[in-house]
Amino acid sequence: ASPSASSETSGNPLPTSQPITSQATTSKNDGPRNPNEVKCSTALEANLLDEAIKFCQLAAKEKDPRGTFTLGTLYIYKNDNANTEKYLKVAADLGFEMAYGALGVFYEMTQKDNAKAELWYKKGVAVKIPENYITYALFLEKQKKFAEAEKYLILADKSGLTWGTYQLGLFYKKQGNNVKAELYLSAAAKAGDVSAMYEYAELLRTV
């Protein structure tokens, strides 16, 4: 899968419409960054995946939450489910809150275990991380729980996360509410979200 980009992030993907690894910097886990984690991120940006894994392994050994999280998502490239699960769980145990939503995606998409996925999604929204609102909302939408999905997408949009604005617009587009779809897709497009630009242009073309 090729990386997507938004005004907030660009990087590598989990099986959702937005990469999760690249969103690590938007979590609440701020502070000085581990040197090996920085080297890992630099290698990742250059698409040097094996080198990125090497440096993130060193960061994980030093119990760096962000590096451990990134390592877990990097193993997706290797189709290594065991290590993906292992390091995402370690990151969650280290308090890296983005890992909760990522584990929800992992169990939903890879393990096809919706019950376990929802447990992690709910942990994710409980800590009020905007990205976790979106991953849970996308899950709820697939379950046809549209009112709940809308609620979490609105929260993500209100947080100021452009990905949330885009996903809310896309949600309304799929619901056939073109007025609201245009409102949010245009806002996300103006903020620089490439996917929103495309969806907004398509909406204008077809309505």
Side-chain angles (χ1 to χ4, degrees), residues 55-199:
F55 285 117
C56 268
Q57 284 174 336
L58 294 173
K61 285 180 181 178
E62 295 163 351
K63 299 189 183 303
D64 176 69
R66 192 195 312 266
T68 305
F69 171 79
T70 304
L71 181 60
T73 58
L74 278 166
Y75 277 117
I76 294 169
Y77 283 113
K78 301 293 186 181
N79 294 315
D80 188 340
N81 292 338
N83 274 321
T84 295
E85 181 179 26
K86 172 185 174 181
Y87 287 105
L88 288 180
K89 280 188 171 180
V90 173
D93 290 340
L94 289 170
F96 200 85
E97 296 160 340
M98 281 288 298
Y100 303 153
L103 280 162
V105 173
F106 172 79
Y107 286 116
E108 178 194 354
M109 298 292 195
T110 305
Q111 305 298 89
K112 310 300 181 186
D113 187 339
N114 283 348
K116 192 174 284 189
E118 187 154 22
L119 288 174
W120 283 104
Y121 283 135
K122 285 182 176 179
K123 283 185 180 183
V125 298
V127 295
K128 299 182 179 180
I129 297 292
E131 293 86 351
N132 290 341
Y133 290 148
I134 299 169
T135 53
Y136 188 35
L138 296 175
F139 173 81
L140 290 168
E141 190 177 351
K142 289 176 211 163
Q143 311 302 311
K144 301 190 184 301
K145 297 179 180 179
F146 299 119
E148 281 189 81
E150 181 184 22
K151 178 182 77 172
Y152 285 109
L153 289 174
I154 288 172
L155 287 172
D157 167 62
K158 285 184 176 178
S159 76
L161 184 66
T162 302
W163 183 38
T165 307
Y166 161 62
Q167 288 293 344
L168 184 57
L170 195 59
F171 171 83
Y172 286 128
K173 183 180 178 183
K174 287 183 281 188
Q175 294 293 312
N177 189 334
N178 290 335
V179 173
K180 285 189 174 181
E182 183 174 350
L183 175 67
Y184 291 102
L185 288 176
S186 64
K190 288 173 184 175
D193 189 292
V194 176
S195 298
M197 293 176 191
Y198 172 79
E199 293 292 346

Side-chain angles (χ1 to χ4, degrees), residues 16-90:
T16 66
S17 58
Q18 170 79 1
I20 291 183
T21 303
S22 60
Q23 296 166 15
T25 55
T26 68
S27 78
K28 291 181 180 178
N29 300 85
D30 296 325
R33 290 176 65 179
N34 178 287
N36 283 314
E37 182 273 322
V38 173
K39 291 176 183 176
C40 172
S41 295
T42 301
L44 178 57
E45 288 170 8
N47 206 33
L48 301 172
L49 302 185
D50 289 334
E51 187 173 339
I53 287 173
K54 179 182 73 175
F55 285 117
C56 268
Q57 284 174 336
L58 294 173
K61 285 180 181 178
E62 295 163 351
K63 299 189 183 303
D64 176 69
R66 192 195 312 266
T68 305
F69 171 79
T70 304
L71 181 60
T73 58
L74 278 166
Y75 277 117
I76 294 169
Y77 283 113
K78 301 293 186 181
N79 294 315
D80 188 340
N81 292 338
N83 274 321
T84 295
E85 181 179 26
K86 172 185 174 181
Y87 287 105
L88 288 180
K89 280 188 171 180
V90 173

